[in-house]
Amino acid sequence: MESDQYVITKKGIFMGKGYACDGMFKMNVEINKPSTNSVYMLSSINLWHARLCHINSKYVGIMSSLELIPKVTKNFEKCEVCSKSKNTKRPHKSVEKNTELLELFHTDLCEFEGILTRGGNRYFIIFIDDFSKYTNVYLLKHKSDAFEKFKEFLLEMENQFGKKIKRIRSDRGREYKSLGFNSFVQSLWIIHETTPPYSPSSNGVAERKNRTLIDLTNAMLIDSGTPSNFWGEAILTACHVINRVPH
């Protein structure tokens, strides 16, 4: 601000300018037209890529073509945040299955770099519908809480859809092998499938989803400068967005 005039910039990019008048600061809208190379203009694919938790840019294009977001430019600039935060490990492959809604759920329990959330949670557990790939995420303080979260998830799904879950697939984690867990699923005639030992690729659907959620969480934390103990809120946000992005 200088001599009753002001200039607005964001990260070194010119955004607009104006002047003081009648006790207010007014913006000169005639010249406040964003340049075509600004990554912050509303039609920028990079802006929507960031707003949607740094998902793959092709999904941003799909949402734009379906008019779920404004029309975006196609010249996507390489995202430095994604380069810093996302894994380069090759994804796990899994066999395609022909299933119906709620027929099969994949599940896995994971830890986020040993960091506690502000609420004291160390782990998160995911449940993925094989047919729709819709994902539920719950935060856990202890691995032993997995059984209670599974019962909560089960009641929610069956109440919302009026259908019974038929199968659930997990790795050989101890949280899925407790006597209480196995007795519960057997009492409901749910088949519990377990993958071979030391083969995370056999639980590929859950492993890929874990990787996606962690990558997006890291990207959001880096991009926003938020402390790592907010990863719980970030991963719930990432899951919420992914469930609403057309694939």
Side-chain angles (χ1 to χ4, degrees):
M1 301 182 66
E2 185 177 353
S3 301
D4 293 331
Q5 295 184 347
Y6 66 89
V7 175
I8 299 176
T9 61
K10 188 170 186 178
K11 295 185 178 180
I13 298 175
F14 173 79
M15 302 299 293
K17 67 179 181 179
Y19 56 94
C21 179
D22 299 328
M24 300 178 65
F25 287 103
K26 296 186 178 182
M27 178 172 285
N28 190 336
V29 294
E30 293 299 321
I31 62 171
N32 184 36
K33 296 180 181 180
S35 60
T36 55
N37 63 347
S38 171
V39 298
Y40 296 103
M41 54 192 295
L42 283 178
S43 61
S44 169
I45 189 172
N46 284 74
L47 172 63
W48 284 100
H49 165 72
R51 281 181 170 178
L52 296 171
C53 306
H54 292 265
I55 61 172
N56 193 304
S57 60
K58 73 177 181 180
Y59 297 133
V60 179
I62 292 173
M63 295 185 73
S64 177
S65 64
L66 295 174
E67 298 184 350
L68 298 174
I69 60 174
K71 293 294 183 181
V72 296
T73 57
K74 294 184 179 180
N75 53 330
F76 179 73
E77 299 178 12
K78 185 177 180 181
C79 178
E80 293 183 11
V81 173
C82 291
S83 300
K84 294 177 182 178
S85 62
K86 294 187 178 181
N87 251 313
T88 56
K89 184 178 178 182
R90 295 175 66 89
H92 295 299
K93 302 295 182 181
S94 63
V95 179
E96 291 293 327
K97 298 289 185 180
N98 296 319
T99 56
E100 297 180 356
L101 194 66
L102 270 65
E103 181 178 333
L104 170 63
F105 272 90
H106 304 266
T107 182
D108 195 19
L109 187 147
C110 192
E111 184 177 3
F112 189 85
E113 301 176 1
I115 301 172
L116 293 179
T117 67
R118 292 171 67 86
N121 296 295
R122 181 182 294 272
Y123 308 97
F124 66 92
I125 188 171
I126 60 174
F127 299 98
I128 310 159
D129 178 50
D130 188 75
F131 177 75
S132 65
K133 297 301 185 290
Y134 190 90
T135 304
N136 292 69
V137 175
Y138 299 92
L139 304 180
L140 309 175
K141 292 183 178 179
H142 310 285
K143 287 187 176 183
S144 56
D145 297 335
F147 181 29
E148 291 301 320
K149 290 300 181 183
F150 172 70
K151 290 193 290 186
E152 178 182 332
F153 158 77
L154 183 73
L155 291 173
E156 179 184 353
M157 291 297 102
E158 294 185 349
N159 179 61
Q160 292 297 321
F161 296 99
K163 300 179 70 173
K164 296 291 185 181
I165 294 176
K166 297 179 175 63
R167 292 183 290 152
I168 184 167
R169 182 175 299 163
S170 70
D171 58 16
R172 293 177 175 266
R174 285 183 290 181
E175 60 273 9
Y176 301 109
K177 294 180 71 65
S178 66
L179 181 61
F181 184 90
N182 285 321
S183 298
F184 179 73
V185 295
Q186 288 175 7
S187 68
L188 298 177
W189 297 98
I190 298 174
I191 299 174
H192 182 200
E193 301 176 352
T194 56
T195 59
Y198 311 111
S199 58
S201 58
S202 299
N203 198 24
V205 173
E207 294 290 338
R208 284 200 307 276
K209 185 66 70 171
N210 271 342
R211 172 185 166 184
T212 299
L213 289 173
I214 290 175
D215 284 349
L216 298 186
T217 297
N218 279 325
M220 284 190 287
L221 294 177
I222 292 173
D223 195 21
S224 63
T226 305
S228 297
N229 58 7
F230 278 93
W231 70 262
E233 287 78 7
I235 205 166
L236 293 175
T237 301
C239 184
H240 177 87
V241 170
I242 289 175
N243 283 336
R244 285 155 181 80
V245 173
H247 288 70

